[in-house]
C-alpha cells in the first residue's frame, strides 16, 4: 500500500494547484480524479448524449476506456488511446462532468482505477469523495475550501489571463450551482470526512496552504 493523502473540496478551492505542489515537495504522485470524470464527459459530449439520459450515459461508459500515464511527472489522461488532457479544462466539459458524475455507474467505472493508483504509489489524490469513499483509510485527509467569492475571483483571473472573455457574476453562479450539485447528489456527495483537516484558503497564500498540508504528512 502506498502512502495516501486525500484532498477533497469544492470546485475552485485550489485543490489541483496545491496538490501538485505538495506532490513535488514530498515526492508523491499527484492524481487528479476530476480529470478522469472530465475525460468521460468528453466521451459523452463526443457522442452527443444528454446528461439527463442516464441510460445512454451508462451504456456509453461501456465503450470508454480511461487510463492515466505520467509523462515527466505530469498526469496525462487517455480516452480510448487518445491523449485528451488538453481538452479537459473547459466550462462545457466541467459542467458535463459535474452532471454525469452524480450517476453511480459513472463513479463505479473510475473507482478501481483510483484505488489501484493509491495501492501502487505514494499519492496525493484530489476530488470530492476521496477521503470519504475512495480511500477511507488514507494516511492524511484534507478538506480544502474557500468562499464562493474567492473561488469565482480566482477562476475569473485564470480565464482572463488566458485572454478569455468572462463574467465574474456568471462564474460565481456556476460555482454555486456546481457546489449544490456535488454536495446534494445521492451517490458519494462532497462532504468533509470526520477525520479530515479543514483548511479554508480564502485568506491564505498558496505557500501557506502547501506548508500546512505538508506539516500533516510524513
Ligand atoms: O475537480 P474538477 O472540477 O476537475 O471535477 C469536475 C467534476 O467531476 C466535478 O464537478 C465533480 C466531479 N468529480 C467527482 O464527482 N468526484 C471526484 N472525485 C472528482 C470530480
Amino acid at each position: 500500500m502506498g502512502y495516501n493523502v486525500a484532498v477533497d473540496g469544492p470546485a475552485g478551492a485550489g485543490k489541483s494547484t496545491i496538490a501538485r505542489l505538495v506532490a513535488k515537495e514530498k515526492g508523491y504522485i499527484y492524481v487528479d480524479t476530476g480529470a478522469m470524470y472530465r475525460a468521460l464527459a468528453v466521451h459523452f459530449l463526443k457522442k452527443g448524449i444528454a446528461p439527463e439520459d442516464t441510460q445512454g450515459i451508462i451504456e456509453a461508459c461501456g465503450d470508454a476506456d480511461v487510463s492515466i500515464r505520467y509523462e515527466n511527472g505530469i498526469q496525462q489522461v487517455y480516452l480510448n488511446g487518445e491523449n485528451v488532457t488538453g481538452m479537459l479544462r473547459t466550462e462545457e466539459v466541467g459542467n458535463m462532468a459535474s452532471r454525469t458524475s452524480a450517476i453511480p455507474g459513472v463513479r463505479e467505472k473510475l473507482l478501481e482505477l483510483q484505488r489501484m493508483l493509491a495501492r501502487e504509489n505514494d499519492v496525493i489524490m484530489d476530488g470530492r469523495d476521496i477521503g470519504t469513499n475512495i480511500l477511507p483509510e488514507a494516511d492524511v485527509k484534507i478538506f480544502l475550501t474557500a468562499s464562493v467569492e474567492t473561488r469565482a475571483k480566482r477562476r475569473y483571473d485564470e480565464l482572463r489571463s488566458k485572454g478569455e472573455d468572462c463574467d465574474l457574476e456568471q462564474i460565481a453562479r456556476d460555482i454555486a450551482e456546481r457546489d449544490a450539485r456535488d454536495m446534494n447528489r445521492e451517490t458519494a456527495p462532497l462532504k468533509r470526512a470526520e477525520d479530515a483537516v479543514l483548511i479554508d484558503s480564502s485568506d491564505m497564500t498558496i505557500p501557506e496552504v502547501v506548508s500546512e498540508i505538508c506539516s500533516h504528512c510524513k
Side-chain angles (χ1 to χ4, degrees):
M1 192 73 191
Y3 188 77
N4 293 168
V5 181
V7 181
D8 292 301
K15 298 186 297 296
S16 61
T17 304
I18 301 289
R20 202 171 278 122
L21 290 167
V22 173
K24 207 167 176 193
E25 183 151 337
K26 294 284 186 181
Y28 309 147
I29 282 181
Y30 166 49
V31 182
D32 172 0
T33 63
M36 300 175 188
Y37 287 96
R38 285 171 185 264
L40 283 181
V42 167
H43 181 67
F44 305 142
L45 285 166
K46 275 187 178 171
K47 294 194 128 197
I49 305 169
E52 305 74 39
D53 177 6
T54 307
Q55 202 46 43
I57 295 280
I58 290 171
E59 276 169 26
C61 282
D63 61 8
D65 178 47
V66 176
S67 62
I68 298 293
R69 281 179 226 161
Y70 289 87
E71 292 166 15
N72 300 320
I74 298 168
Q75 174 177 295
Q76 303 291 321
V77 187
Y78 285 78
L79 171 66
N80 293 334
E82 182 194 356
N83 187 336
V84 291
T85 314
M87 299 163 66
L88 304 180
R89 307 241 34 111
T90 66
E91 292 302 296
E92 185 191 24
V93 170
N95 283 327
M96 186 67 163
S98 173
R99 290 195 154 84
T100 52
S101 62
I103 300 169
V106 171
R107 306 200 70 80
E108 269 161 39
K109 171 100 193 157
L110 298 175
L111 180 121
E112 197 38 48
L113 172 62
Q114 294 167 5
R115 287 199 176 144
M116 190 257 299
L117 287 164
R119 254 195 320 272
E120 296 182 354
N121 306 281
D122 291 344
V123 298
I124 178 161
M125 183 179 289
D126 80 359
R128 302 295 188 288
D129 64 336
I130 310 304
T132 50
N133 189 45
I134 303 295
L135 306 176
E137 306 296 330
D139 299 278
V140 178
K141 296 183 188 177
I142 306 289
F143 193 85
L144 183 63
T145 187
S147 67
V148 171
E149 294 73 31
T150 305
R151 291 186 281 134
K153 181 69 171 58
R154 286 177 187 162
R155 182 78 185 132
Y156 175 82
D157 290 343
E158 184 190 340
L159 291 170
R160 290 305 297 253
S161 73
K162 289 189 206 156
E164 286 181 39
D165 198 20
C166 54
D167 173 44
L168 182 59
E169 281 178 17
Q170 182 60 44
I171 294 175
R173 274 196 297 277
D174 284 350
I175 285 182
E177 217 177 274
R178 194 177 301 183
D179 282 358
R181 236 185 347 252
D182 292 349
M183 289 193 271
N184 296 321
R185 67 184 178 212
E186 250 168 63
T187 310
L190 168 66
K191 66 168 192 273
R192 179 184 167 193
E194 276 176 18
D195 50 351
V197 177
L198 174 67
I199 302 178
D200 183 332
S201 72
S202 303
D203 298 313
M204 291 171 81
T205 63
I206 291 171
E208 282 170 345
V209 179
V210 170
S211 150
E212 156 103 42
I213 295 179
C214 285
S215 75
H216 295 284
C217 302
K218 76 163 185 198

